[in-house]
Amino acid sequence: MTSIQDSLLDGIAARTIDTARLRVNVLERTADDQGTPPERTVVLVHGNVSSALFWQETMLGLPAGIRAIAVDLRGFGDSEALPVDATRGLGDYSNDVHATLETLGLPTAHLVGWSMGGGVVMQYALDHPALSLTLQAPVSPYGFGGTRPDGTRLTDDDAGCGGGGGNPDFIERLRAGDTSADAPTSPRSVFRGSYVAPGYETDHENIWVASMNTTSTEQGNYPGDSVASANWPGFGAGDVGVLNTMAPKHFNVSRIVELEVKPPILWVHGTADAIVSDASFFDLNHLGAVGAIPGWPGAEVAPAQQMVTQTRAVLSAYAAAGGDVVELNLEGVGHSPHLERPEEFRAALLERIGYAG
């Protein structure tokens, strides 16, 4: 398996930090001034089945006056693979990021979260001060799967959500560090088919695949446990592991609307996102609706989650309650705007954090 050091671009360095909670790996730009104030510090939080390595192009493209820090969440990259307590939602990850910033001497910063990382930074804003939030293709504020448009849960056991939804062959290929494109369940195939929209080209695909393969599949990490369910498709969310952190019984950050101090928010998403959308190919109810999984009980019982619609509703309420929200909707872009439209993503981020050069 490729080492983290072999996957670093010129100008990026990795270092490990011992925090009060766990050992955390961070990426930084070698030219950055560690004395940069929080108002010019951007902390980047990756998503599920990835690591800080995915942020390198974004970091290198930011101006010299910015300090850029990308954090490996527990069980990803070179951070410690401690078990994840999913009953806290994404709280373990949020508190890990906070412990990292404390160790770095940063009382706050501008936070950028991608996919699951978007949920992490929303949770962070509920628990700790943040200067701004940039949410890129974020998980819905109501979690992943199993909810109606208003966020209410479809079943008491979150049927079809959580750890039971992990594809066994994909998990085995992660465990083996598979870098091939021999099967639709290989990390490389999943990256090409789900992380980006068709037509994306890069010289760094091997790095992105290596990043995916850092995902820990040890007990308590990816994907997590499940419970038997009398509801279709036969399993419900468990209480440990990555996928269960976003089950709606454990995760709901719609309370950001009630924050007294509301950090400005930038929401970036693409119209061709296969993972976070109103018709997600990772939502088992949607897969049932299109016939990919047999026995679907119908839209009255198991409707697909309206992920983008839910996010828009919560952020609209946030704005109505006095928050400052900017939406950047990118036509034809998939789950990774920072890779697919890097200049537009960086420009929107810099405007959101108020960087004037």
Side-chain angles (χ1 to χ4, degrees):
M1 185 179 295
T2 304
S3 73
I4 297 296
Q5 291 297 326
D6 293 336
S7 297
L8 297 179
L9 299 179
D10 289 344
I12 300 292
R15 64 171 166 140
T16 300
I17 298 170
D18 289 317
T19 77
R21 291 177 56 81
L22 78 167
R23 187 182 66 254
V24 175
N25 184 68
V26 298
L27 302 187
E28 299 168 292
R29 297 191 298 185
T30 56
D32 281 358
D33 179 0
Q34 294 188 11
T36 302
E39 292 76 16
R40 290 291 178 264
T41 300
V42 174
V43 176
L44 303 131
V45 182
H46 64 82
N48 191 16
V49 190
S50 63
S51 75
L53 291 172
F54 267 96
W55 288 118
Q56 293 182 90
E57 289 181 328
T58 300
M59 297 169 72
L60 292 172
L62 292 172
I66 298 293
R67 182 184 181 189
I69 303 168
V71 180
D72 280 337
L73 298 175
R74 67 168 65 192
F76 299 97
D78 261 2
S79 286
E80 196 170 356
L82 296 182
V84 182
D85 179 1
T87 66
R88 305 186 64 238
L90 292 167
D92 269 354
Y93 297 125
S94 169
N95 288 349
D96 291 348
V97 172
H98 182 252
T100 302
L101 297 193
E102 279 193 319
T103 304
L104 292 172
L106 290 167
T108 187
H110 297 283
L111 301 180
V112 181
W114 171 33
S115 194
M116 182 179 80
V120 173
V121 302
M122 284 188 276
Q123 181 64 54
Y124 190 103
L126 289 172
D127 301 332
H128 312 288
L131 296 177
S132 71
L133 307 180
T134 294
L135 310 175
Q136 177 185 248
V139 62
S140 164
Y142 298 112
F144 199 95
T147 55
R148 302 176 183 87
D150 65 358
T152 55
R153 293 162 60 201
L154 298 177
T155 64
D156 290 338
D157 58 3
D158 290 346
C161 302
N167 183 288
D169 192 60
F170 177 61
I171 295 164
E172 286 304 315
R173 289 174 182 273
L174 284 176
R175 185 174 289 123
D178 182 11
T179 61
S180 75
D182 295 341
T185 51
S186 75
R188 190 178 299 273
S189 296
V190 170
F191 171 80
R192 292 174 178 175
S194 301
Y195 282 38
V196 292
Y200 169 77
E201 296 181 357
T202 178
D203 294 330
H204 301 312
E205 185 177 86
N206 287 342
I207 296 177
W208 311 153
V209 174
S211 175
M212 295 172 71
N213 278 328
T214 66
T215 302
S216 172
T217 56
E218 297 302 313
Q219 186 173 3
N221 294 118
Y222 185 85
D225 65 343
S226 64
V227 298
S229 173
N231 301 300
W232 186 88
F235 69 88
D239 291 337
V240 297
V242 177
L243 295 185
N244 293 314
T245 63
M246 294 173 282
K249 71 175 181 178
H250 299 316
F251 179 75
N252 184 336
V253 291
S254 63
R255 293 179 293 112
I256 60 172
V257 172
E258 302 166 11
L259 284 171
E260 183 175 349
V261 178
K262 293 180 171 63
I265 290 178
L266 169 64
W267 175 31
V268 184
H269 60 106
T271 62
D273 192 333
I275 298 176
V276 174
S277 77
D278 285 356
S280 169
F281 284 95
F282 286 71
D283 178 0
L284 298 194
N285 287 351
H286 175 66
L287 293 178
V290 299
I293 300 177
W296 182 59
E300 289 297 317
V301 176
Q305 183 188 15
Q306 305 291 297
M307 302 178 188
V308 173
T309 296
Q310 289 176 335
T311 298
R312 181 169 287 114
V314 170
L315 294 185
S316 294
Y318 188 90
D324 180 2
V325 178
V326 173
E327 177 181 351
L328 177 60
N329 185 19
L330 297 172
E331 187 69 31
V333 170
H335 192 58
S336 308
H338 70 299
L339 299 182
E340 300 171 69
R341 299 276 186 88
E343 294 85 3
E344 290 172 74
F345 176 80
R346 286 194 300 267
L349 170 61
L350 290 170
E351 183 174 357
R352 179 73 296 181
I353 68 174
Y355 181 77

